[in-house]
Amino acid sequence: MESTEKLTDTNAILAYLYEKFPLCFIAEGETKPLKIGLFQDLAERLADDSKVSKTQLRVALRRYTSSWRYLKCVKAGVQRVDLDGVDCGELEQEHIEHAQATLKESQEKAKAKRAAQAPKPAAKKPVRKPTKTQAPKVERSAKPAAKAEPEVKLVQANLSDLKQKQRVNVKLGKSPVAGVITDINKEDVLVQLDSGLSIKVRAEHILL
């Protein structure tokens, strides 16, 4: 009897999704926006699959939808697709604008990081010409360090503070993800993330 090894690496899980659902998850080239609520469909399809867990699927799905390749495909006139590649309606303008803003911010951060890591060329020493009076040396002042953006402190929400259509942040991985509450059922809160993904979480996972 073969033992099925559970996948834990996010890249390996994405490769598995490319293989299992090639009409939904595109491995190379232009991608397609995913159906809202696709995570629930994915969890149901792979419920009996011992290779992946819901937690790892959520992380992989978040990486896929936050990639530049995916964000570039979120544009006017494009249809969302389900796991089988079937069209599920056009994108809303709010989601298009959010994707464009996220892409721009990500690209600017990457550009700044590359610039910071790039080796600085060695300054050439000027050739001194014989002069009767030597001009005083002018020292170049170092550029002031860029001010770090103020960190926004988020606090854990209480269930009593939450209501439908309220914008919140959900703790997913290392950084919170913004979204809107669409339903509250006892202790479970359904949040639609700005990327289009809908997830069900407890109040302790929500930040305000």
Side-chain angles (χ1 to χ4, degrees):
M1 191 173 173
E2 293 185 3
S3 60
T4 304
E5 185 178 352
K6 186 177 287 293
L7 299 175
T8 56
D9 180 70
T10 303
N11 289 331
I13 294 172
L14 283 173
Y16 186 59
L17 294 178
Y18 296 149
E19 180 184 347
K20 292 280 288 186
F21 309 103
L23 298 179
C24 177
F25 296 99
I26 313 298
E28 296 180 357
E30 189 171 340
T31 65
K32 297 178 181 179
L34 303 182
K35 167 191 172 184
I36 294 176
L38 186 84
F39 175 74
Q40 282 83 352
D41 296 346
L42 192 60
E44 289 175 7
R45 286 279 193 99
L46 300 178
D48 299 327
D49 195 325
S50 58
K51 276 193 172 185
V52 291
S53 67
K54 285 187 177 181
T55 301
Q56 293 296 335
L57 278 176
R58 186 178 281 113
V59 173
L61 197 59
R62 184 183 172 207
R63 177 180 291 186
Y64 184 79
T65 56
S66 61
S67 67
W68 291 4
R69 194 165 60 97
Y70 180 87
L71 293 172
K72 287 177 181 178
C73 83
V74 181
K75 52 192 175 183
V78 178
Q79 295 275 339
R80 291 184 180 275
V81 296
D82 64 10
L83 290 174
D84 300 312
V86 178
D87 291 346
C88 298
E90 287 192 13
L91 292 158
E92 296 181 10
Q93 185 61 30
E94 179 184 356
H95 296 158
I96 295 172
E97 292 174 357
H98 173 75
Q100 291 174 345
T102 302
L103 176 62
K104 182 179 179 182
E105 181 183 358
S106 179
Q107 289 176 332
E108 288 176 350
K109 285 183 178 179
K111 183 179 179 181
K113 186 176 181 180
R114 285 197 301 269
Q117 293 176 344
K120 294 181 180 179
K124 293 182 179 179
K125 293 183 179 181
V127 179
R128 293 184 180 180
K129 295 180 179 180
T131 55
K132 291 181 180 180
T133 306
Q134 187 175 359
K137 293 182 179 179
V138 179
E139 295 184 1
R140 294 183 180 179
S141 58
K143 293 183 179 179
K147 293 183 179 179
E149 296 182 2
E151 184 179 352
V152 179
K153 293 186 177 180
L154 302 173
V155 295
Q156 183 173 315
N158 294 318
L159 186 62
S160 58
D161 298 331
L162 304 177
K163 57 186 178 180
Q164 289 189 17
K165 297 184 179 180
Q166 180 180 2
R167 286 197 67 80
V168 295
N169 290 275
V170 181
K171 289 190 287 186
L172 286 178
K174 294 183 180 179
S175 57
V177 181
V180 178
I181 294 176
T182 57
D183 189 29
I184 300 176
N185 184 9
K186 295 182 180 179
E187 295 183 356
D188 292 327
V189 182
L190 186 63
V191 180
Q192 181 179 316
L193 304 181
D194 290 344
S195 64
L197 179 67
S198 292
I199 62 171
K200 185 182 291 184
V201 296
R202 295 294 183 97
E204 58 262 28
H205 295 290
I206 294 180
L207 302 174
L208 297 176

